[in-house]
Amino acid sequence: MAMYPIFLLYGIFIFSAIFLVWILIAIITDFIFLCFPKVDSKVLSKRIVITSAKFSYLDDVHELFIKYQYEFEGVIYTSTLLNAFGGVRSFGENGVRKAVANSITPEDRIAVYVCPFYPKLAYALPFGWSKFLVLPIIAVVLALFLSSSNKLNIF
């Protein structure tokens, strides 16, 4: 077998393995944050922004940005982190609006999960990420991983 196809297969294998590990770490991190103390916070600002141009087959991608302030062990912190995936994005405005409606009360209060070991780190919406985007990506990367590992006889 020529060197280029083997190099290409190893590249696909390594890239997909790294990507799978990164996604699994983000999912596990969201699970872990659900076990951390939950504190009430005040929403300082919230907005929904269109973060991409219009696609022909899908709607615009909307992203939720929230800045919140919370108190943990007598110290006041400010954060914009929503989850381990970096935010809440959705095709179409309805998905992001549902996340806002489900998480923020009319009084602009939101519950956040605070890391007790490093209180500057808090997530407002663990598992608020779009499963519509992440799960197909996991499936494609897993298929590439298994396909390239089979052809290389790694497993």
Side-chain angles (χ1 to χ4, degrees):
M1 192 176 227
M3 288 301 292
Y4 180 73
I6 291 174
F7 174 76
L8 185 62
L9 284 174
Y10 272 113
I12 291 171
F13 176 79
I14 290 170
F15 173 76
S16 58
I18 291 170
F19 198 72
L20 273 176
V21 167
W22 177 75
I23 288 174
L24 290 175
I25 287 172
I27 291 171
I28 291 168
T29 302
D30 272 359
F31 268 120
I32 291 170
F33 264 83
L34 290 174
C35 299
F36 287 159
K38 190 176 182 181
V39 298
D40 198 34
S41 71
K42 179 182 180 193
V43 175
L44 302 175
S45 66
K46 61 182 174 186
R47 59 193 164 107
I48 298 173
V49 177
I50 297 174
T51 57
S52 70
K54 191 153 183 90
F55 292 103
S56 60
Y57 57 96
L58 296 171
D59 206 356
D60 289 332
V61 176
H62 291 73
E63 188 168 359
L64 172 65
F65 292 96
I66 300 174
K67 184 176 184 179
Y68 53 90
Q69 186 177 45
Y70 61 96
E71 183 178 344
F72 188 74
E73 295 181 349
V75 181
I76 296 176
Y77 300 96
T78 303
S79 181
T80 57
L81 294 174
L82 297 180
N83 53 44
F85 282 93
V88 176
R89 291 170 198 87
S90 177
F91 287 106
E93 201 170 355
N94 289 338
V96 174
R97 289 208 185 275
K98 284 180 193 172
V100 173
N102 292 338
S103 61
I104 300 175
T105 62
E107 298 86 34
D108 280 337
R109 307 294 291 174
I110 187 171
V112 298
Y113 299 88
V114 181
C115 177
F117 316 112
Y118 187 66
K120 284 185 177 183
L121 187 60
Y123 287 165
L125 301 171
F127 289 102
W129 37 269
S130 173
K131 285 83 175 165
F132 177 73
L133 294 173
V134 174
L135 295 179
I137 290 172
I138 292 173
V140 168
V141 171
L142 186 60
L144 285 171
F145 176 77
L146 293 174
S147 167
S148 61
S149 66
N150 285 340
K151 290 179 182 173
L152 293 171
N153 295 324
I154 292 176
F155 295 118

